[in-house]
Amino acid sequence: MADPSVSAGAITAFLDFAASRGADRAILTAGLPVAADHLADRDNRVAFADYVALVRAAQRLTGNDALALHYGEAVDLSELSVVGLITRAAPTMADALAQMNRYGSLVVELDLGATDRFEIVQEGRHVWVVDHRQNPNDFPELSEVSFARMVCGPRRFTDQLKIGEIQFTHPAPGYASEYARVFQAPIRFASGRNAMRLDGDWLSHPVALQPSYVFGILIDHADAVLARLAATTTLGGRIENLLLQRLHTGDAHIDGIAREMGISRQTLYRKLKAEGLTFDRLLDQLRHKMAVRYLDGGKVSINEAAYLLGFSDRAAFSRAYKRWTGRSPGPKVRRPACAPAPVR
């Protein structure tokens, strides 16, 4: 699969939370290799490695090692992604968990192979939710966020759900007392898995915080976004995703993309040729698509669009835009559908 990624919505929500806890937002944003406009569309993607670096930087700036745990406790999934809205519209908690498995990659994309991230496991009298994320100790903060949301989210609409025990594969951190406060359940660190034991009727507990017709609308939107995300697993889609993060730097060259993909320039040329593609064509098509989105949507000025797309100046961008669209960049002139009748 393509390199794991995180939604721009998740990045923005974490930036907002970290800033509310004292981090300098400008410093955090400067550390991200994407333009601010890239984050404005919450369905855009940011490399998972950049998300990890963002969380670690925010921890340093706030002096709070438990920042990720507090983020999962305070910020509901529905505030940053359509996935959260879908889970809140699901009939039961079991249905909500199923939707998390189906659409979770829209928030955080991980290499899970053919395995669902969360599995319901019956062990004797107990039911567990097991997280199958690989190498969790490389970034235990994601385990903190995930389980904190699964525990604290339902508390916002019911006080009937209890957790029997939570297991984490990472060692106990220096702020282990915060785990006890947040989860209000026994915690076992350095366990063989990341898992949560469910008590009572947790799985069958009703949710349905949104009307059923809303559920259908949200599913349609999520399916469309999921299809776009799946497209990035193709070579062309992966290159486009990498270019999106580089356009504004003016460094949208094949050498840098090949290096980031861990292959030689010649190998990338051969792979593109095998799929009937060229790097220059992919770059031009992406710039065309983004230029139309920026200007026709009235999001940015012509000068800003030229910068965001990596053009040397406004004139170069204007020439390219006219080649793409047949007209100079600027607001569309809307003509009346028919001429007015003559006055007699």
Side-chain angles (χ1 to χ4, degrees), residues 83-303:
V83 181
L85 296 172
I86 288 173
T87 60
R88 291 172 71 86
T92 67
M93 293 296 293
D95 293 314
L97 190 62
Q99 299 306 328
M100 274 294 302
N101 277 329
R102 182 179 179 184
Y103 296 112
S105 60
L106 298 185
V107 183
V108 179
E109 182 188 26
L110 301 169
D111 189 359
L112 297 169
T115 305
D116 284 338
R117 180 177 174 186
F118 297 107
E119 180 185 9
I120 299 173
V121 178
Q122 182 80 43
E123 296 180 358
R125 297 181 296 105
H126 299 302
V127 176
W128 293 80
V129 173
V130 181
D131 185 350
H132 290 300
R133 180 168 69 97
Q134 298 179 9
N135 305 313
N137 288 4
D138 291 347
F139 186 48
E141 290 91 339
L142 183 57
S143 299
E144 294 178 343
V145 171
S146 300
F147 281 105
R149 284 214 174 102
M150 292 174 72
V151 171
C152 298
R155 287 180 188 159
R156 295 183 174 93
F157 62 86
T158 180
D159 59 359
Q160 298 179 30
L161 300 179
K162 306 298 180 184
I163 304 300
E165 178 184 336
I166 301 182
Q167 301 174 355
F168 291 101
T169 56
H170 57 270
Y175 51 91
S177 60
E178 280 298 279
Y179 279 71
R181 182 190 65 79
V182 170
F183 294 112
Q184 300 174 25
I187 308 293
R188 184 194 303 179
F189 294 103
S191 174
R193 63 184 181 180
N194 288 295
M196 181 172 70
R197 196 183 85 209
L198 310 178
D199 280 1
D201 299 325
W202 199 93
L203 290 174
S204 60
H205 194 280
V207 184
L209 300 179
Q210 303 284 350
S212 58
Y213 80 91
V214 172
F215 184 76
I217 293 172
L218 295 172
I219 288 291
D220 288 344
H221 174 75
D223 282 338
V225 179
L226 196 62
R228 291 200 298 271
L229 179 59
T232 64
T233 61
T234 66
L235 179 62
R238 186 179 180 190
I239 291 172
E240 181 177 297
N241 192 49
L242 292 173
L243 283 171
L244 275 171
Q245 302 177 42
R246 287 171 166 262
L247 284 179
H248 71 288
T249 69
D251 185 27
H253 305 296
I254 190 169
D255 298 284
I257 296 298
R259 188 165 50 250
E260 195 159 347
M261 294 175 69
I263 59 178
S264 69
R265 174 187 176 129
Q266 291 74 20
T267 298
L268 181 53
Y269 264 129
R270 286 197 300 270
K271 287 179 176 290
L272 284 167
K273 186 176 181 180
E275 294 192 12
L277 302 171
T278 69
F279 182 83
D280 289 342
R281 181 63 175 165
L282 284 173
L283 175 58
D284 193 61
Q285 288 176 338
L286 177 61
R287 280 175 159 169
H288 178 190
K289 178 175 68 176
M290 297 306 296
V292 171
R293 181 180 300 178
Y294 288 150
L295 296 185
D296 287 1
K299 295 181 178 180
V300 299
S301 68
I302 295 174
N303 286 337

